[in-house]
Structure formats: structure tokens, C-alpha cells
Amino acid sequence: SPRALLATIAEREGDPTRARRELRQVLTYDHTNVNAARKLALLARAPDAADDRDFALRLVADLDPFDTAAHTELGRRLLEKGDNAAALIEFQAALAGGPANLAEAHTDSAEALLKLGRRDEAKRPALLALKEAPTFARAQDLLLAAIGKD
């Protein structure tokens, strides 16, 4: 696609804003182009590119359901925005896909459950995280919060 070539040229010229704009155009017409979505997600790491990053991560997660990193990152972004229910779904998808860091994945799920007010349910993933990494401080803190000792 000419837009993909323009994105590559813009990236080489050091113009990530134009590269992102071109990649968004690619994805407007070729919404199943997971490679363009991944590239857009990488280029959209700047604070002013949050919309592009969210758009790209959502596409990657939808197009490649086994991309646990995309589900995890999307879940964390949703958690930051306060969309805890959607974040939990993404974290569960990441867990189902077999994440590289199982302790972190369980901890993410526990955090989302806590933010949803589901303290009793949050205990299990926090314990599973601690089973994987007994000294993982974030999991310990979430377990204490889940049992009401925060």
C-alpha cells in the first residue's frame, strides 16, 4: 500500500506523527493488517499518541488473540482509564494465552478484581501469583488488600 510506504519513509525521516497518521490510514482500509497495527502500537509510545496506541492495541488483541503481550498492555491501559471490567477481560485473555510472566498476569487480574470491588475473587489470582513468585511485592500488597489488611 502506498500509505505503508509513506509511513516507512516518515519513520526513516524521524517524523513519528506522520508515520502514525499514515498507518492509521492503512488500517482504515485494511483493518485486518496486524503488522501495521503492531507497528502503529510501537510508534505510538509518546504521551501525545495515546489514542493511536489504544486503537492499535485493540486491533492487535482482536486480530491475534494469542498475543498475550497486547492483551496485557491493553488491560493495563484500560485499568489506568478506570475501565476495570474491560481490563479484567483483557487480563483473562492474556492468562488463557499463556503469558511469559505468569505471576504478573495473575497479579494484573487480582488488581482488576479489587478495583471492581470483588475482594473475595481477587484472593485467588493473588495467591496464584505468589505461588509463582513468593516474594513478588505487588502480589503481596494485593493479597493484603483483598483480605482487608491494607
Side-chain angles (χ1 to χ4, degrees), residues 109-131:
S109 289
E111 184 175 355
L113 285 164
L114 272 175
K115 288 187 175 190
L116 286 166
R118 295 161 53 180
R119 292 178 106 157
D120 288 338
E121 292 176 65
K123 292 175 194 173
R124 185 173 191 279
L127 286 169
L128 289 170
L130 290 170
K131 181 179 178 185

Side-chain angles (χ1 to χ4, degrees), residues 16-21 24 39-57 73 77 81:
T17 303
R18 192 173 101 217
R20 288 193 322 266
R21 186 176 57 244
R24 283 292 290 252
K39 190 166 200 165
L40 178 59
L42 286 174
L43 289 172
R45 292 198 182 268
D48 66 333
D51 289 341
D52 285 339
R53 187 149 186 82
D54 292 341
F55 173 78
L57 287 171
E73 190 171 350
R77 293 190 59 77
K81 293 179 175 184

Side-chain angles (χ1 to χ4, degrees), residues 3-4 6-7 17-27:
R3 296 275 184 191
L6 289 171
T17 303
R18 192 173 101 217
R20 288 193 322 266
R21 186 176 57 244
E22 296 298 341
L23 286 169
R24 283 292 290 252
Q25 287 298 314
V26 168
L27 292 166

Side-chain angles (χ1 to χ4, degrees), residues 3-141:
R3 296 275 184 191
L5 291 173
L6 289 171
T8 301
I9 291 168
E11 187 179 5
R12 284 185 187 152
E13 291 178 348
D15 189 351
T17 303
R18 192 173 101 217
R20 288 193 322 266
R21 186 176 57 244
E22 296 298 341
L23 286 169
R24 283 292 290 252
Q25 287 298 314
V26 168
L27 292 166
T28 298
Y29 297 104
D30 185 6
H31 61 275
T32 62
N33 189 335
V34 72
N35 292 327
R38 283 191 173 108
K39 190 166 200 165
L40 178 59
L42 286 174
L43 289 172
R45 292 198 182 268
D48 66 333
D51 289 341
D52 285 339
R53 187 149 186 82
D54 292 341
F55 173 78
L57 287 171
R58 168 53 49 210
L59 270 178
V60 172
D62 288 346
L63 294 171
D64 185 358
F66 298 104
D67 187 334
T68 58
H71 285 291
T72 299
E73 190 171 350
L74 181 58
R76 289 180 181 160
R77 293 190 59 77
L78 290 165
L79 209 57
E80 288 173 13
K81 293 179 175 184
D83 194 350
N84 303 323
L88 179 60
I89 291 168
E90 294 304 323
F91 293 144
Q92 289 171 336
L95 276 165
N101 187 332
L102 201 51
E104 237 178 49
H106 283 301
T107 304
D108 288 335
S109 289
E111 184 175 355
L113 285 164
L114 272 175
K115 288 187 175 190
L116 286 166
R118 295 161 53 180
R119 292 178 106 157
D120 288 338
E121 292 176 65
K123 292 175 194 173
R124 185 173 191 279
L127 286 169
L128 289 170
L130 290 170
K131 181 179 178 185
E132 293 294 320
T135 60
F136 190 23
R138 184 170 157 235
Q140 292 172 348
D141 293 341

